[in-house]
Amino acid sequence: MISQEQIRSQLNNCLLEAKFDRWANQYQKGKVRDIYLLEDKRILITTDRQSAFDHVLGAIPLKGQVLNKTAKYWFDQTADIVPNQVLDVPDPNVTVARELDMLPVEIVVRRYLTGSTDTSVWTNYNNGVRKFCGVDLPDGMIKNQKFDEAIITPTTKAEDHDESISPQEIVERGLVDADRWAEVEKVALKLFARGTELAAQRGLILVDTKYEMGLDPEGNLTVADEIHTPDSSRYWILNTYEDRHARGEEPESLDKEFLRLWLVDKGISDDNIPELDDEIRTQVSARYIDLFERVTGEPFETEVDDTPILERIEKNIEPYF
Ligand SMILES: Nc1ncnc2c1ncn2[C@@H]1O[C@H](COP(=O)(O)OP(=O)(O)O)[C@@H](O)[C@H]1O
Ligand SMILES: [Mg+2]
């Protein structure tokens, strides 16, 4: 395990942006990833940007590495189920991916009645919704309760936010055709089952997750972006779930709950966006690293040195241009 000193040594060597002037015409910026478009590939650089409430609050040391390495772990663990985007990981922060023709929907899979955003199932259920994304939800369920089986609640990217949509509407609007959608659901449930099984071996519950998929030039369904990372998934601790749930307590979560509580404590609102101080940045980093180690069962190994992160990345991606 990496020490707090080592994390602190990276507080001034974080990756907020990876824009290089020499490749500016191939550059794109996502929420978390900076991207370079090549002919049939894309270089996905996972940054250390931490956002909440639609604002970038600052950078968390080593967060980009944790996300990129966690995604790589899961792509490897699921490669027998479905092809994935990964061509190469030439740097701890970088994945070189096959360029895919992306499906215009995100595939959200959920095993528990939880969440807090507008598109989350608990928010909707709590407001009286009993048919969500085409799924019938029984009356009388309580927050954080387990569904009988995993459900799929897709979203589409509307202007600047996600919108819930049913499979029927996906097909009717011509976003994905019926046969392809059936394949997407089958693959998503298999991926989620694998995630659940491996997480359980590590004492964790994979609560819910979001997949992005696309088609390769031959028309093969392929998993893209990231899978089962702390940014795209929710994890709870397995052995305390039952008791806490029975007592009406929230599950112990491995995700961004810690940071969320800190932000609430600082009184975050639309006109008060607190800046992350070094202490919280270090603590959040330690939690991301802990999550990586618990999920993968592997130590988080990285060279923590003084090489400026941008310099290292530029050198490692240069051969692709
Ligand atoms: N293999 C791929 N082919 C094409 N597009 C991809 C691939 N993998 C990811 N993307 C897209 O690249 C972007 C990744 O940036 P990210 O910061 O994750 O985006 P977002 O802001 O949508 O979360 C997203 O728009 C994602 O849909
Ligand atoms: Mg993304």
Side-chain angles (χ1 to χ4, degrees), residues 29-35 42 44 49 85 97-102 106 157 210 212 223-226:
K29 190 168 181 159
K31 272 204 286 288
V32 174
R33 275 154 263 275
D34 278 13
I35 300 151
R42 75 170 47 203
L44 292 166
R49 292 196 284 271
Q85 66 174 4
R98 245 179 281 277
E99 179 69 19
L100 302 168
D101 182 13
M102 298 296 284
E106 299 194 340
K157 282 190 197 248
K210 174 216 75 176
E212 292 189 37
V223 201
D225 206 43
E226 58 179 342

Side-chain angles (χ1 to χ4, degrees), residues 134-148:
V135 180
D136 289 312
L137 303 171
D139 274 323
M141 288 186 73
I142 60 169
K143 191 175 182 214
N144 303 326
Q145 192 177 335
K146 194 175 186 179
F147 294 120
D148 288 340

Side-chain angles (χ1 to χ4, degrees), residues 216-274:
D216 75 5
E218 286 79 47
N220 299 308
L221 189 67
T222 306
V223 201
D225 206 43
E226 58 179 342
I227 65 168
H228 301 169
T229 65
D231 272 13
S232 66
S233 316
R234 189 176 272 121
Y235 287 97
W236 291 338
I237 307 285
L238 182 59
N239 67 7
T240 59
Y241 167 78
E242 290 291 347
D243 283 353
R244 294 176 70 104
H245 187 59
R247 286 199 299 266
E249 292 169 15
E250 284 291 310
E252 261 183 284
S253 83
L254 266 193
D255 44 76
K256 285 157 274 186
E257 192 57 15
F258 176 75
L259 177 61
R260 202 184 66 79
L261 292 176
W262 185 88
L263 290 168
V264 168
D265 190 53
K266 297 276 169 197
I268 190 170
S269 71
D270 279 338
D271 15 65
N272 172 37
I273 304 298

